[in-house]
Amino acid sequence: MTPFRGLLLYLAAGAAWVGAGELLLARLADPEQIQRWQTIKGGLFVLLSGIFAWWLLTRMRRAEQLRGALARELAQLAQAAPAGMARVDPDSLRILWANERLCSWLGLSSQEVLQRRFRDLVVPRDLGQAAHQMDDLRAGRVTHYQGERQCLRADGGAPLPVLCNVRLVAAAGDEPAQLVCVLQDMSEIVAARQALARSQDVLALALEGSGSGLWDWDMAARRSTYSSGLLRLLRHQGRPPRSGSLLLARLHPDDRDRVQGAVEQALASGEVFDETARLRRFDDSYCWFHARGQLHLNAQGEPERFSGTLTDLTARRAAEERQRLATTVVDNTIEGVVVTDAQTRILSVNAAFTRILGYGEDELRGRTPRVFKSGRHDKAFYEAMWASMARRGHWRGEIWNRRKDGQVIPERMSLSAVRDAQGGVTHYVCVFTDISEEKERLAQLEFLAHRDPLTGLSNRLHFGQQLQEAVAHAQADGERLAVLLLNLDRFKDVNGSWGHAVGDEVLKHIAAQVRSALRPGDLIGRLAGDEIAVVARQLRHADGAAAVARSLIGAVGQPWHSPDGIAVVVGVSVGIAMFPEHAGTAQLLLQDAHAAVYAAKARGRGAYAFFDESMTQGARERLEIEARLRQAMADGHLQLYYQPQVDVASGRIVGAEALVRWLDPQEGMISPARFIPVAESSGVIGALGLWVMREACRQARHWQTEGLPELRVAVNVSPRQFHLTDVAGGAAQALAESGLAARCLELELTEGALAERPEEARQTLLRLHGLGVHTAVDDFGTGYSSLAHLKRFPIDVLKIDQGFIRDVPRSGDDMAISAAIIAMGHSLGLKVVAEGVETPEQLAFLRARGCDLYQGYLCSRPLPAGEFAQLLRAQA
């Protein structure tokens, strides 16, 4: 009932009450009592009116409460709904209201969403089609429409695919017309679509790569379809045939009845069709094929399709025949024999092989000889072996292999290639003999001739020969080395107190400790009862020898514990003689080291001394460089130069490597080769690396504000900085301070930094990956880590060291290594950057191998920030 109708009803009821009351009073009441009855009648009317008004107010309050509860419930449903919702002005397309789900998708607050255009935030795939749908909705030709759109995030994140449903709500009373938009998250549906597409692509590739062909017979339409792979197997050219009897018609006469009977059996019973027969190819040659098919029924259980695959068996049958011949040969020899195919996949082994290595034929068939690779030979060994195979067709020599039980044994091996009539390799035959016993006898003689029986170290004679060879190599290569003579302190007290048996055990303990403290390539020998000599090679300066001495002193200082719990500690004094500073021959180096031992003992036990104290001048210079470097960082004398990183395909600059330079006011430009090692050894590298990261991020962001293209700036991180500082925290701080997007920062690490403490390095890289920062392995191929080791890390980029690019295309080895690095990187989904590109020929080689980026003098030398910006503007 409307308010107006209620008023009329009330007036009518009141008039009826008054009129009826007056009439009844006039007829029934005495004139003297009319006034009293009128009063009672009026009071009664007021009472009834009040009761009616109370009832109406109660109903209104209850209705208002129900409406409020309903409104709150609807608001809660709208806010908590798994779909995004919005009310939009149909004319301006401004958002009037949006629920929390839509705001979270857009990355905006509810206040920021208001007054924004819906179409600017929820973008249709086709603007024209969206405008046409809106016109139809306004004109009333449709009541609603839907379409796929993308929600754009305010922070620049990946757009969210949604299904947008739009309905026009007409104006009602004071409420204007509105668009009600409901959005459903389609990310899982889109991912499922993409996964289905990838699956279909993989299935198609798998079918093509398997060497099989597909045939399908539509029994209702009586039409056959053949894949391109099947037609290639039959050597067909031209348009695909549509004949239903293409395969049956080309059967060999001797196989036709058998195959046709098998087809009829499969159609009648629904069993799998599986037959091998000869087919006449379109070049009129017969070939063995394997056909496998299946009958398919429709929903009503009636035969609908008959389809399957066809595989060429020609090569397989020939290989089986050759394998039978090879088996006959190898089973009649007492030496171990293994036969592989041209791809080194093992086909057969003989009984002697099983006896020697412990593997059975079933365990190895189809695998490669890498399964018993010992790991004792480097890549160069195998490259030389296969180079001999390529030149001569055979190789003979000694090799170490691993038995099934893990034991590594030496073998005398003969490897030969088996070729076909055209000269192509079809098989490899390996014949080998276990020479473990022979090696053991030779090793025992070699040990007694060159080793100290107690400690196992080189004896005095052998150590002298090793030192002479090391000096000769150092003279030829310009290498610096040091001879460190370790003289045990108070070792006579150990023998006198505990006896020579304990003394021998202490000596063996010390020898083991010293050996474990050495670096790869260093030499060690026992010269006398309490003297051990060490040759430290590949030293940059005397500080390196001092570091080795400190390490050896610490190693010797580790106590030896007897079975009875006795702890014996022996100190050591170390004398150091440097080549070529102190002496140029092995004999003089040992003499000088002996002299330096006495100087070390004079300083106190557990000390070391150089033969010539002039070497301390170098240490003072490094201290001076360290102090000046700290001051240069405070005074702003450091600056960054930027070398362009260029996209190989387009030729455009897409990144830059930041390189630190020191411009000293007095000395001028100081080479990084002088101050970077000092920074690493002194600990300044932490502060220096953080400054470089901040400055590079700040400069990259500044270029963006100037309207230059977005670039990825690469910053080098030294191994010491990587392990001793919080690299991920520093990167996050630099990005936050500069406002640079994380995708624009790339940190370059060396293989050594990752290999030193791999699990710790992996956790740091995972943190960087979580920030969105890219990581690159610099100078790839020059370290000691393997591809199997590197694939554990979340790496984005491999950088080919310029040493592999410098001699391209003159060096075939460098070309092969570079091509292999590019292929390996791409196989892991990594970008590959080549350093040191200086010639168009090098760039052409990289482009042909699919390298992604390059940097080098061919594009530009490292430039200051201003000149680099000019280079970008010139490119634009």
Side-chain angles (χ1 to χ4, degrees):
M1 181 180 295
T2 64
F4 180 71
R5 290 181 178 179
L7 177 62
L8 291 179
L9 179 60
Y10 180 76
L11 292 176
W17 177 272
V18 172
E22 292 294 331
L23 183 61
L24 290 173
L25 288 176
R27 292 183 178 182
L28 301 178
D30 294 335
E32 292 128 0
Q33 297 179 347
I34 288 178
Q35 184 66 30
R36 177 183 174 190
W37 284 106
Q38 285 180 344
T39 302
I40 294 173
K41 180 189 69 171
L44 185 60
F45 180 77
V46 171
L47 178 62
L48 293 175
S49 298
I51 293 172
F52 181 68
W54 172 83
W55 178 77
L56 286 177
L57 289 174
T58 302
R59 291 295 302 272
M60 290 173 63
R61 180 179 299 174
R62 185 175 301 170
E64 186 65 27
Q65 290 175 347
L66 290 174
R67 283 195 298 270
L70 180 60
R72 288 191 299 272
E73 183 177 356
L74 290 176
Q76 291 175 355
L77 289 175
Q79 292 296 346
M85 298 182 183
R87 290 188 288 109
V88 180
D89 186 344
D91 297 323
S92 64
L93 297 182
R94 296 283 181 180
I95 298 176
L96 305 176
W97 170 86
N99 69 346
E100 293 181 1
R101 182 58 57 94
L102 180 57
C103 294
S104 65
W105 287 350
L106 298 173
L108 298 171
S109 66
S110 57
Q111 296 299 323
E112 292 173 333
V113 168
L114 298 182
Q115 304 306 319
R116 297 285 294 273
R117 282 171 52 87
F118 182 78
R119 189 171 293 175
D120 295 338
L121 300 178
V122 184
V123 181
R125 295 181 180 274
D126 188 340
L127 291 175
Q129 181 185 9
H132 180 70
Q133 290 174 329
M134 179 60 68
D135 292 339
D136 289 345
L137 189 64
R138 290 170 177 162
R141 290 187 289 270
V142 296
T143 59
H144 70 282
Y145 67 85
Q146 66 179 14
E148 294 186 15
R149 300 194 177 190
Q150 289 186 329
C151 287
L152 302 182
R153 293 189 57 83
D155 59 4
L160 178 69
V162 295
L163 179 65
C164 180
N165 293 270
V166 181
R167 183 178 294 274
L168 178 63
V169 178
D174 296 335
E175 290 292 330
Q178 298 179 6
L179 295 176
V180 177
C181 305
V182 179
L183 295 84
Q184 295 175 290
D185 186 354
M186 290 187 61
S187 53
E188 292 186 0
I189 296 176
V190 171
R193 290 176 182 170
Q194 293 173 349
L196 179 59
R198 288 194 298 269
S199 178
Q200 291 175 340
D201 292 341
V202 169
L203 288 175
L205 291 173
L207 181 60
E208 289 294 327
S210 67
S212 299
L214 179 68
W215 49 268
D216 179 68
W217 178 24
D218 187 339
M219 302 178 69
R222 303 189 65 82
R223 182 178 61 186
S224 295
T225 304
Y226 307 101
S227 70
S228 58
L230 184 143
L231 296 177
R232 282 197 301 271
L233 292 178
L234 295 178
R235 298 183 181 178
H236 177 272
Q237 297 179 351
R239 298 181 60 184
R242 294 294 179 181
S243 171
S245 60
L246 173 64
L247 299 180
L248 294 176
R250 308 193 75 81
L251 283 168
H252 192 279
D254 295 341
D255 301 329
R256 183 174 292 115
D257 293 341
R258 174 174 54 84
V259 174
Q260 286 181 341
V263 170
E264 293 172 359
Q265 175 67 19
L267 294 177
S269 63
E271 297 176 353
V272 175
F273 169 74
D274 193 331
E275 288 292 332
T276 299
R278 289 162 288 183
L279 288 175
R280 182 170 54 86
R281 296 183 290 198
F282 282 87
D283 61 359
D284 290 333
S285 63
Y286 277 98
C287 185
W288 284 95
F289 288 91
H290 174 246
R292 183 178 178 85
Q294 178 70 53
L295 176 67
H296 306 280
L297 306 179
N298 58 17
Q300 291 73 34
E302 300 173 348
E304 182 181 33
R305 314 187 77 85
F306 186 53
S307 59
T309 59
L310 189 72
T311 305
D312 188 352
L313 297 181
T314 303
R316 185 185 304 176
R317 292 177 70 89
E320 290 174 353
E321 178 62 20
R322 289 194 296 269
Q323 184 176 353
R324 186 186 64 81
L325 296 175
T327 302
T328 303
V329 174
V330 300
D331 284 344
N332 290 278
T333 180
I334 60 173
E335 297 176 309
V337 177
V338 56
V339 179
T340 75
D341 61 13
Q343 288 73 42
T344 70
R345 291 189 295 265
I346 296 175
L347 301 178
S348 65
V349 299
N350 68 345
F353 177 97
T354 302
R355 184 182 67 255
I356 296 173
L357 292 182
Y359 290 96
E361 184 173 290
D362 293 339
E363 297 176 272
L364 295 177
R365 189 178 293 113
R367 303 173 71 180
T368 68
R370 295 187 185 92
V371 69
F372 37 84
K373 189 176 181 180
S374 67
R376 292 198 176 189
H377 303 292
D378 56 14
K379 182 180 178 182
F381 174 85
Y382 293 103
E383 288 178 346
M385 181 177 71
W386 287 107
S388 175
M389 291 293 299
R391 291 192 307 270
R392 305 185 182 93
H394 65 273
W395 179 87
R396 292 182 179 86
E398 293 184 3
I399 191 170
W400 290 80
N401 279 326
R402 188 179 302 275
R403 291 170 47 86
K404 184 179 178 180
D405 59 7
Q407 180 186 1
V408 177
I409 62 171
E411 299 170 353
R412 183 173 291 109
M413 189 178 78
S414 174
L415 178 63
S416 302
V418 179
R419 301 180 182 273
D420 57 17
Q422 290 73 35
V425 175
T426 61
H427 294 81
Y428 292 104
V429 177
C430 174
V431 181
F432 64 91
T433 303
D434 182 2
I435 56 172
S436 300
E437 295 180 359
E438 180 181 339
K439 283 286 185 181
E440 288 175 359
R441 289 192 297 271
L442 292 176
Q444 185 177 9
L445 294 175
E446 178 74 11
F447 181 85
L448 294 176
H450 299 97
R451 297 290 175 179
D452 172 53
L454 176 63
T455 62
L457 303 179
S458 296
N459 58 24
R460 187 181 190 91
L461 176 62
H462 188 221
F463 180 81
Q465 295 172 349
Q466 290 179 308
L467 179 57
Q468 287 180 352
E469 293 174 359
V471 171
H473 283 105
Q475 288 175 336
D477 301 335
E479 175 188 341
R480 178 177 291 175
L481 58 81
V483 173
L484 298 91
L485 188 64
L486 284 66
N487 187 273
L488 302 182
D489 298 329
R490 299 174 306 176
F491 186 71
K492 292 182 180 179
D493 295 341
V494 174
N495 285 329
S497 301
W498 306 104
H500 287 279
V502 172
D504 289 346
E505 293 299 323
V506 172
L507 271 177
K508 289 192 287 186
H509 167 74
I510 291 174
Q513 289 293 113
V514 173
R515 185 187 290 111
S516 65
L518 296 182
R519 307 166 306 157
D522 291 348
L523 306 175
I524 181 174
R526 184 186 180 195
L527 303 187
D530 59 354
E531 285 187 348
I532 296 176
V534 169
V535 178
R537 309 181 66 177
Q538 301 291 342
L539 299 176
R540 294 183 178 179
H541 41 66
D543 281 358
V548 173
R550 289 192 293 269
S551 175
L552 296 178
I553 291 172
V556 174
Q558 297 298 316
W560 173 82
H561 296 276
S562 71
D564 299 328
I566 300 173
V568 179
V569 180
V570 176
V572 66
S573 299
V574 182
I576 307 172
M578 301 292 299
F579 173 87
E581 290 88 345
H582 300 155
T585 66
Q587 182 179 0
L588 291 177
L589 284 170
L590 284 173
Q591 292 176 358
D592 293 346
H594 271 286
V597 164
Y598 296 104
K601 287 184 175 292
R603 295 181 180 181
R605 302 189 183 276
Y608 66 90
F610 288 93
F611 172 72
D612 188 352
E613 290 295 334
S614 65
M615 293 299 296
T616 58
Q617 180 63 31
R620 286 195 294 270
E621 180 182 353
R622 282 184 291 279
L623 291 175
E624 179 186 357
I625 288 289
E626 177 187 346
R628 290 172 58 192
L629 179 58
R630 294 181 185 274
Q631 190 63 38
M633 293 175 59
D635 297 341
H637 294 161
L638 299 180
Q639 57 182 292
L640 293 185
Y641 278 45
Y642 299 88
Q643 185 169 39
Q645 292 182 342
V646 185
D647 183 81
V648 173
S650 64
R652 298 190 62 82
I653 299 174
V654 296
E657 181 178 1
L659 303 170
V660 64
R661 295 292 185 265
W662 180 4
L663 185 59
D664 186 78
Q666 288 79 32
E667 189 175 343
M669 190 68 73
I670 298 179
S671 170
R674 286 183 59 192
F675 67 85
I676 292 297
V678 175
E680 291 185 337
S681 61
S682 63
V684 181
I685 192 65
L688 177 61
L690 183 59
W691 177 86
V692 171
M693 198 179 302
R694 289 175 174 173
E695 178 63 18
C697 291
R698 184 201 64 78
Q699 183 62 62
R701 180 58 183 162
H702 179 68
W703 284 332
Q704 293 179 10
T705 59
E706 290 184 342
L708 295 175
E710 181 178 284
L711 300 175
R712 182 177 297 164
V713 60
V715 176
N716 288 284
V717 178
S718 76
R720 183 172 176 83
Q721 176 190 355
F722 183 72
H723 290 294
L724 298 184
T725 64
D726 184 7
V727 175
Q733 182 180 0
L735 292 171
E737 292 175 355
S738 64
L740 184 69
R743 63 178 180 273
C744 297
L745 176 62
E746 179 176 287
L747 300 184
E748 297 186 359
L749 312 168
T750 63
E751 295 177 77
L754 301 180
E756 184 178 350
R757 294 196 290 268
E759 186 55 35
E760 178 182 328
R762 182 173 179 270
Q763 294 302 322
T764 301
L765 293 182
L766 287 174
R767 290 179 59 196
L768 292 171
H769 184 73
L771 292 174
V773 175
H774 290 253
T775 52
V777 176
D778 195 15
D779 301 335
F780 183 76
T782 62
Y784 297 99
S785 58
S786 65
L787 185 65
H789 181 68
L790 287 179
K791 72 179 182 181
R792 297 179 56 244
F793 300 100
I795 300 297
D796 302 293
V797 178
L798 291 183
K799 298 193 71 175
I800 306 176
D801 183 70
Q802 60 182 347
F804 297 128
I805 303 297
R806 184 179 299 113
D807 293 331
V808 171
R810 296 185 301 274
S811 172
D813 291 342
D814 287 345
M815 293 173 68
I817 293 172
S818 300
I821 293 175
I822 294 171
M824 287 191 298
H826 288 169
S827 68
L828 292 177
L830 308 180
K831 295 286 187 180
V832 181
V833 181
E835 297 182 301
V837 179
E838 299 181 359
T839 66
E841 291 79 6
Q842 294 170 348
L843 179 58
F845 165 79
L846 295 172
R847 183 180 291 111
R849 296 306 184 275
C851 186
D852 302 293
L853 306 172
Y854 81 91
Q855 63 184 79
Y857 288 177
L858 179 62
C859 174
S860 172
R861 294 175 177 269
L863 300 173
E867 296 181 24
F868 187 87
Q870 294 177 4
L871 188 64
L872 290 179
R873 293 189 185 96
Q875 174 179 268

